[in-house]
Amino acid sequence: MKKTWENNALNIFKFISALLIVGSHCLPLFNNNFLNLFYGQYLFRFCVPLFFISTGYYFDKSDNNKRKKFIKRIFILYVCSTVLYFPLFMNSGVKQIIFNCLFGYYHLWYLNAVLLGTIFLYFFDNHLEIKSKKFYFLLLLILLISGIFFDEYNKILQIHFLDKLVLFFNKFGGGRNALFFAIPMLIIGKLIHNQKRFFEINWVKYFILLIFSVIVAFLEFLFLSKKIGLDITTDITLFNFVPSILLFILSFYLNSSLKLNDTKKMRKMADFIYVIHIYVIFILSRMFSLLHINLFIISSFISIFLSYVIITFFDRLKKSKKDAEI
Protein backbone atom coordinates (compact mmCIF):
# COMPACT_ATOMS: atom_id res chain seq x y z
CA MET A 1 0.00 0.00 0.00
CA LYS A 2 1.24 3.46 -0.87
CA LYS A 3 1.62 5.56 2.30
CA THR A 4 1.98 9.29 1.80
CA TRP A 5 2.71 12.06 4.28
CA GLU A 6 -0.77 13.55 3.98
CA ASN A 7 -3.43 11.09 5.14
CA ASN A 8 -6.72 12.77 4.27
CA ALA A 9 -8.86 10.18 6.07
CA LEU A 10 -6.80 10.62 9.24
CA ASN A 11 -7.11 14.40 8.96
CA ILE A 12 -10.91 14.04 8.89
CA PHE A 13 -10.77 11.71 11.91
CA LYS A 14 -8.67 14.30 13.76
CA PHE A 15 -11.06 17.11 12.91
CA ILE A 16 -14.05 15.13 14.19
CA SER A 17 -12.05 14.14 17.28
CA ALA A 18 -11.28 17.79 18.03
CA LEU A 19 -15.02 18.57 17.98
CA LEU A 20 -15.77 15.61 20.25
CA ILE A 21 -13.18 16.99 22.67
CA VAL A 22 -14.99 20.35 22.59
CA GLY A 23 -18.15 18.48 23.59
CA SER A 24 -16.38 16.76 26.47
CA HIS A 25 -15.53 20.16 27.96
CA CYS A 26 -19.14 21.33 27.61
CA LEU A 27 -20.54 18.52 29.75
CA PRO A 28 -23.17 17.93 30.94
CA LEU A 29 -24.74 17.90 27.49
CA PHE A 30 -27.87 15.89 28.30
CA ASN A 31 -30.48 15.63 31.03
CA ASN A 32 -29.42 12.05 31.59
CA ASN A 33 -26.50 11.04 33.82
CA PHE A 34 -25.73 7.87 31.88
CA LEU A 35 -25.61 9.69 28.52
CA ASN A 36 -23.24 12.28 29.97
CA LEU A 37 -21.09 9.51 31.45
CA PHE A 38 -21.16 7.63 28.14
CA TYR A 39 -20.00 10.70 26.23
CA GLY A 40 -17.40 11.87 28.74
CA GLN A 41 -15.91 8.56 29.83
CA TYR A 42 -16.36 6.39 26.73
CA LEU A 43 -17.12 8.04 23.39
CA PHE A 44 -14.59 10.87 23.36
CA ARG A 45 -11.88 8.76 25.03
CA PHE A 46 -10.87 7.43 21.58
CA CYS A 47 -9.83 10.92 20.49
CA VAL A 48 -6.69 11.85 22.44
CA PRO A 49 -4.92 8.49 21.89
CA LEU A 50 -5.55 8.92 18.15
CA PHE A 51 -3.66 12.23 18.21
CA PHE A 52 -0.77 10.73 20.19
CA ILE A 53 -0.49 7.63 17.98
CA SER A 54 -0.53 9.77 14.85
CA THR A 55 2.21 12.00 16.27
CA GLY A 56 4.33 8.98 17.19
CA TYR A 57 3.98 7.54 13.70
CA TYR A 58 4.89 10.70 11.79
CA PHE A 59 7.59 11.69 14.29
CA ASP A 60 9.29 8.34 13.70
CA LYS A 61 8.80 8.73 9.95
CA SER A 62 10.58 12.12 10.01
CA ASP A 63 14.30 12.77 9.75
CA ASN A 64 16.10 14.50 12.61
CA ASN A 65 15.78 17.93 11.05
CA LYS A 66 11.99 17.61 10.85
CA ARG A 67 11.88 16.19 14.36
CA LYS A 68 13.74 19.20 15.76
CA LYS A 69 11.41 21.56 13.90
CA PHE A 70 8.38 19.71 15.25
CA ILE A 71 9.63 19.89 18.85
CA LYS A 72 10.41 23.59 18.43
CA ARG A 73 6.94 24.23 16.94
CA ILE A 74 5.19 22.41 19.80
CA PHE A 75 7.29 24.30 22.35
CA ILE A 76 6.35 27.65 20.81
CA LEU A 77 2.67 26.63 20.61
CA TYR A 78 2.76 25.52 24.26
CA VAL A 79 4.36 28.76 25.45
CA CYS A 80 1.95 30.91 23.41
CA SER A 81 -1.04 28.88 24.64
CA THR A 82 0.08 29.20 28.26
CA VAL A 83 0.41 32.98 27.85
CA LEU A 84 -3.03 33.06 26.21
CA TYR A 85 -4.64 31.25 29.14
CA PHE A 86 -2.62 32.97 31.86
CA PRO A 87 -5.49 35.40 32.70
CA LEU A 88 -7.65 32.38 33.57
CA PHE A 89 -5.24 31.01 36.18
CA MET A 90 -3.26 34.06 37.28
CA ASN A 91 -5.17 34.28 40.58
CA SER A 92 -4.83 30.60 41.48
CA GLY A 93 -1.80 30.99 43.78
CA VAL A 94 1.93 30.79 43.18
CA LYS A 95 2.20 26.98 43.38
CA GLN A 96 -0.68 26.43 40.99
CA ILE A 97 0.65 29.05 38.57
CA ILE A 98 4.04 27.33 38.50
CA PHE A 99 2.35 23.94 38.03
CA ASN A 100 0.19 25.24 35.17
CA CYS A 101 3.21 26.74 33.43
CA LEU A 102 5.33 23.59 33.80
CA PHE A 103 2.72 20.90 33.19
CA GLY A 104 -0.10 22.64 31.34
CA TYR A 105 -3.21 24.50 32.35
CA TYR A 106 -6.33 22.33 32.07
CA HIS A 107 -6.39 20.97 28.47
CA LEU A 108 -2.86 22.23 27.72
CA TRP A 109 -1.52 19.13 29.49
CA TYR A 110 -1.81 17.54 26.03
CA LEU A 111 0.70 19.92 24.41
CA ASN A 112 3.00 19.50 27.38
CA ALA A 113 2.76 15.71 27.08
CA VAL A 114 3.45 15.79 23.31
CA LEU A 115 6.45 18.04 23.90
CA LEU A 116 7.96 15.88 26.66
CA GLY A 117 7.08 12.64 24.87
CA THR A 118 8.70 13.59 21.56
CA ILE A 119 11.79 14.91 23.36
CA PHE A 120 11.97 11.53 25.10
CA LEU A 121 11.76 9.63 21.80
CA TYR A 122 14.32 11.92 20.16
CA PHE A 123 16.74 11.41 23.06
CA PHE A 124 16.34 7.62 23.04
CA ASP A 125 16.71 7.37 19.27
CA ASN A 126 19.61 9.76 18.77
CA HIS A 127 21.59 9.95 22.01
CA LEU A 128 21.09 6.50 23.49
CA GLU A 129 20.73 5.09 19.96
CA ILE A 130 18.15 2.52 21.03
CA LYS A 131 16.65 0.90 17.93
CA SER A 132 15.33 -2.36 19.39
CA LYS A 133 11.61 -2.89 18.80
CA LYS A 134 11.55 -5.33 21.73
CA PHE A 135 12.89 -2.64 24.07
CA TYR A 136 10.23 -0.14 23.00
CA PHE A 137 7.49 -2.78 23.23
CA LEU A 138 8.60 -3.71 26.77
CA LEU A 139 8.77 -0.04 27.76
CA LEU A 140 5.32 0.46 26.26
CA LEU A 141 3.87 -2.37 28.38
CA ILE A 142 5.51 -1.18 31.60
CA LEU A 143 4.39 2.43 31.25
CA LEU A 144 0.92 1.57 29.95
CA ILE A 145 0.14 -0.96 32.68
CA SER A 146 1.52 1.42 35.32
CA GLY A 147 -0.73 4.22 34.05
CA ILE A 148 -3.77 1.94 33.97
CA PHE A 149 -3.25 0.71 37.53
CA PHE A 150 -2.38 4.14 38.88
CA ASP A 151 -5.70 5.35 37.50
CA GLU A 152 -9.19 3.83 37.90
CA TYR A 153 -8.21 0.21 38.46
CA ASN A 154 -6.37 1.10 41.65
CA LYS A 155 -9.71 2.27 43.09
CA ILE A 156 -11.12 -1.21 42.47
CA LEU A 157 -8.11 -3.31 43.43
CA GLN A 158 -7.11 -1.07 46.40
CA ILE A 159 -3.43 -2.01 46.33
CA HIS A 160 -2.34 -0.25 49.50
CA PHE A 161 1.42 -0.17 48.86
CA LEU A 162 0.70 1.80 45.68
CA ASP A 163 -1.47 4.41 47.40
CA LYS A 164 1.39 6.84 48.03
CA LEU A 165 2.56 6.53 44.44
CA VAL A 166 -0.98 7.09 43.23
CA LEU A 167 -1.32 10.22 45.37
CA PHE A 168 1.97 11.50 43.98
CA PHE A 169 1.05 10.91 40.34
CA ASN A 170 -2.45 12.34 40.87
CA LYS A 171 -0.74 15.69 41.41
CA PHE A 172 0.38 15.44 37.78
CA GLY A 173 -2.94 14.34 36.33
CA GLY A 174 -2.96 10.69 37.37
CA GLY A 175 -2.60 8.45 34.32
CA ARG A 176 -3.12 11.47 32.07
CA ASN A 177 0.45 12.71 31.65
CA ALA A 178 3.50 12.36 29.43
CA LEU A 179 4.94 9.35 31.22
CA PHE A 180 1.96 7.01 31.44
CA PHE A 181 -0.19 8.26 28.58
CA ALA A 182 1.69 10.18 25.91
CA ILE A 183 4.88 8.13 25.72
CA PRO A 184 3.10 4.73 25.45
CA MET A 185 0.77 6.05 22.73
CA LEU A 186 3.69 7.69 20.89
CA ILE A 187 5.57 4.38 21.05
CA ILE A 188 2.54 2.60 19.56
CA GLY A 189 2.67 5.02 16.62
CA LYS A 190 6.42 4.48 16.33
CA LEU A 191 6.04 0.68 16.31
CA ILE A 192 3.29 0.85 13.68
CA HIS A 193 5.65 2.82 11.45
CA ASN A 194 8.47 0.32 12.01
CA GLN A 195 6.33 -2.73 11.40
CA LYS A 196 5.38 -2.62 7.72
CA ARG A 197 3.38 -5.84 8.00
CA PHE A 198 0.60 -3.90 9.72
CA PHE A 199 -0.37 -2.56 6.29
CA GLU A 200 -0.28 -5.93 4.54
CA ILE A 201 -3.34 -7.30 6.37
CA ASN A 202 -6.75 -7.20 4.72
CA TRP A 203 -8.70 -4.13 5.85
CA VAL A 204 -11.80 -6.26 6.59
CA LYS A 205 -9.93 -7.96 9.43
CA TYR A 206 -9.07 -4.57 10.90
CA PHE A 207 -12.68 -3.47 10.60
CA ILE A 208 -13.90 -6.58 12.43
CA LEU A 209 -11.29 -5.99 15.14
CA LEU A 210 -12.42 -2.38 15.39
CA ILE A 211 -16.05 -3.40 16.00
CA PHE A 212 -14.91 -5.99 18.55
CA SER A 213 -12.63 -3.50 20.35
CA VAL A 214 -15.41 -0.89 20.51
CA ILE A 215 -17.69 -3.48 22.18
CA VAL A 216 -15.00 -4.63 24.63
CA ALA A 217 -14.14 -1.02 25.53
CA PHE A 218 -17.84 -0.34 26.11
CA LEU A 219 -18.17 -3.38 28.39
CA GLU A 220 -15.13 -2.18 30.32
CA PHE A 221 -16.74 1.26 30.64
CA LEU A 222 -19.92 -0.36 32.03
CA PHE A 223 -17.84 -2.43 34.45
CA LEU A 224 -15.91 0.59 35.76
CA SER A 225 -19.01 2.78 36.02
CA LYS A 226 -20.78 0.07 38.01
CA LYS A 227 -17.82 -0.45 40.33
CA ILE A 228 -16.87 3.20 40.85
CA GLY A 229 -19.98 5.16 39.93
CA LEU A 230 -20.42 8.52 38.24
CA ASP A 231 -17.01 9.76 39.43
CA ILE A 232 -14.94 7.62 37.08
CA THR A 233 -12.32 9.34 34.94
CA THR A 234 -11.26 6.80 32.35
CA ASP A 235 -8.30 8.70 30.94
CA ILE A 236 -6.63 5.42 30.13
CA THR A 237 -7.88 1.89 30.77
CA LEU A 238 -7.09 -1.61 29.55
CA PHE A 239 -9.12 -1.29 26.35
CA ASN A 240 -10.34 2.25 25.66
CA PHE A 241 -7.32 3.17 23.51
CA VAL A 242 -7.45 0.05 21.31
CA PRO A 243 -10.11 1.40 18.89
CA SER A 244 -7.84 4.41 18.32
CA ILE A 245 -5.04 2.12 17.11
CA LEU A 246 -7.35 0.37 14.66
CA LEU A 247 -8.90 3.65 13.46
CA PHE A 248 -5.42 5.00 12.80
CA ILE A 249 -4.40 1.95 10.74
CA LEU A 250 -7.72 1.87 8.87
CA SER A 251 -7.32 5.53 7.92
CA PHE A 252 -4.47 4.55 5.56
CA TYR A 253 -6.72 2.02 3.81
CA LEU A 254 -9.47 4.64 3.49
CA ASN A 255 -6.98 7.20 2.26
CA SER A 256 -5.73 4.94 -0.52
CA SER A 257 -9.16 3.68 -1.61
CA LEU A 258 -11.23 6.88 -1.44
CA LYS A 259 -10.65 9.96 -3.57
CA LEU A 260 -10.60 12.58 -0.84
CA ASN A 261 -9.83 16.24 -1.36
CA ASP A 262 -6.84 17.85 0.30
CA THR A 263 -7.60 18.08 4.03
CA LYS A 264 -4.35 19.57 5.26
CA LYS A 265 -6.20 22.66 6.46
CA MET A 266 -8.60 20.48 8.48
CA ARG A 267 -5.61 18.86 10.23
CA LYS A 268 -4.20 22.26 11.16
CA MET A 269 -7.63 23.51 12.24
CA ALA A 270 -8.03 20.52 14.58
CA ASP A 271 -4.90 21.62 16.47
CA PHE A 272 -6.12 25.20 16.85
CA ILE A 273 -9.64 24.11 17.77
CA TYR A 274 -8.06 22.14 20.62
CA VAL A 275 -6.05 25.12 21.82
CA ILE A 276 -8.70 27.86 21.67
CA HIS A 277 -11.95 26.05 22.48
CA ILE A 278 -11.66 26.39 26.27
CA TYR A 279 -11.54 30.17 25.94
CA VAL A 280 -14.58 30.08 23.67
CA ILE A 281 -16.48 27.90 26.15
CA PHE A 282 -15.41 30.14 29.05
CA ILE A 283 -16.67 33.32 27.35
CA LEU A 284 -19.94 31.80 26.12
CA SER A 285 -20.78 30.21 29.48
CA ARG A 286 -19.84 33.27 31.55
CA MET A 287 -21.06 36.12 29.34
CA PHE A 288 -24.07 34.48 27.70
CA SER A 289 -24.90 31.76 30.26
CA LEU A 290 -24.98 29.09 27.56
CA LEU A 291 -25.12 25.48 28.75
CA HIS A 292 -25.37 21.90 27.55
CA ILE A 293 -25.96 21.15 23.85
CA ASN A 294 -26.34 24.82 22.94
CA LEU A 295 -22.94 25.57 24.44
CA PHE A 296 -21.40 22.64 22.54
CA ILE A 297 -22.88 23.58 19.16
CA ILE A 298 -22.08 27.30 19.34
CA SER A 299 -18.61 26.69 20.82
CA SER A 300 -17.86 24.26 18.00
CA PHE A 301 -18.92 26.69 15.27
CA ILE A 302 -16.98 29.59 16.76
CA SER A 303 -13.88 27.44 17.34
CA ILE A 304 -14.04 26.20 13.73
CA PHE A 305 -14.41 29.74 12.44
CA LEU A 306 -11.57 31.16 14.54
CA SER A 307 -9.24 28.28 13.69
CA TYR A 308 -9.99 28.77 9.99
CA VAL A 309 -9.20 32.48 10.27
CA ILE A 310 -5.94 31.75 12.12
CA ILE A 311 -4.82 29.10 9.60
CA THR A 312 -5.72 31.31 6.63
CA PHE A 313 -3.79 34.22 8.16
CA PHE A 314 -0.64 32.15 8.68
CA ASP A 315 -0.91 30.57 5.22
CA ARG A 316 -1.13 34.01 3.58
CA LEU A 317 1.73 35.28 5.76
CA LYS A 318 3.91 32.35 4.67
CA LYS A 319 2.95 32.90 1.02
CA SER A 320 3.78 36.62 1.21
CA LYS A 321 7.19 35.79 2.69
CA LYS A 322 7.91 33.37 -0.16
CA ASP A 323 6.80 35.95 -2.73
CA ALA A 324 9.06 38.53 -1.09
CA GLU A 325 12.04 36.17 -1.33
CA ILE A 326 11.42 35.71 -5.05
Side-chain angles (χ1 to χ4, degrees), residues 150-207:
F150 285 157
D151 212 30
E152 296 303 89
Y153 277 97
N154 183 66
K155 297 176 185 177
I156 297 171
L157 299 173
Q158 295 183 341
I159 305 172
H160 296 295
F161 74 91
L162 288 179
D163 285 346
K164 289 185 177 180
L165 279 175
V166 171
L167 287 173
F168 173 76
F169 284 113
N170 279 343
K171 295 178 181 179
F172 304 95
R176 188 184 62 178
N177 55 42
L179 185 61
F180 297 129
F181 196 174
I183 292 175
M185 295 298 114
L186 290 169
I187 291 175
I188 289 173
K190 175 184 178 67
L191 292 176
I192 291 173
H193 175 250
N194 282 312
Q195 190 58 266
K196 308 304 180 186
R197 286 181 296 177
F198 278 121
F199 298 100
E200 296 173 359
I201 299 171
N202 190 293
W203 71 271
V204 176
K205 294 180 181 178
Y206 279 126
F207 183 74

Side-chain angles (χ1 to χ4, degrees), residues 60-157:
D60 193 70
K61 186 182 176 73
S62 304
D63 57 34
N64 280 336
N65 187 45
K66 286 183 178 178
R67 292 182 185 187
K68 289 177 183 177
K69 286 182 178 178
F70 178 81
I71 291 172
K72 181 180 178 181
R73 189 163 65 248
I74 292 296
F75 175 74
I76 293 171
L77 181 59
Y78 178 67
V79 171
C80 291
S81 300
T82 301
V83 172
L84 175 68
Y85 281 94
F86 185 75
L88 298 189
F89 65 82
M90 62 185 294
N91 297 320
S92 57
V94 176
K95 287 185 179 179
Q96 191 61 42
I97 289 173
I98 293 172
F99 177 87
N100 288 337
C101 290
L102 292 178
F103 298 100
Y105 167 74
Y106 198 39
H107 67 308
L108 298 183
W109 73 269
Y110 168 77
L111 294 178
N112 178 275
V114 170
L115 178 63
L116 295 178
T118 50
I119 290 173
F120 171 88
L121 289 183
Y122 183 87
F123 179 79
F124 267 57
D125 277 354
N126 293 280
H127 295 283
L128 298 184
E129 296 184 349
I130 297 174
K131 305 296 181 184
S132 171
K133 295 176 186 177
K134 290 181 180 179
F135 167 82
Y136 281 109
F137 184 73
L138 181 62
L139 181 63
L140 161 67
L141 288 179
I142 292 171
L143 294 178
L144 193 59
I145 291 171
S146 298
I148 289 166
F149 286 99
F150 285 157
D151 212 30
E152 296 303 89
Y153 277 97
N154 183 66
K155 297 176 185 177
I156 297 171
L157 299 173

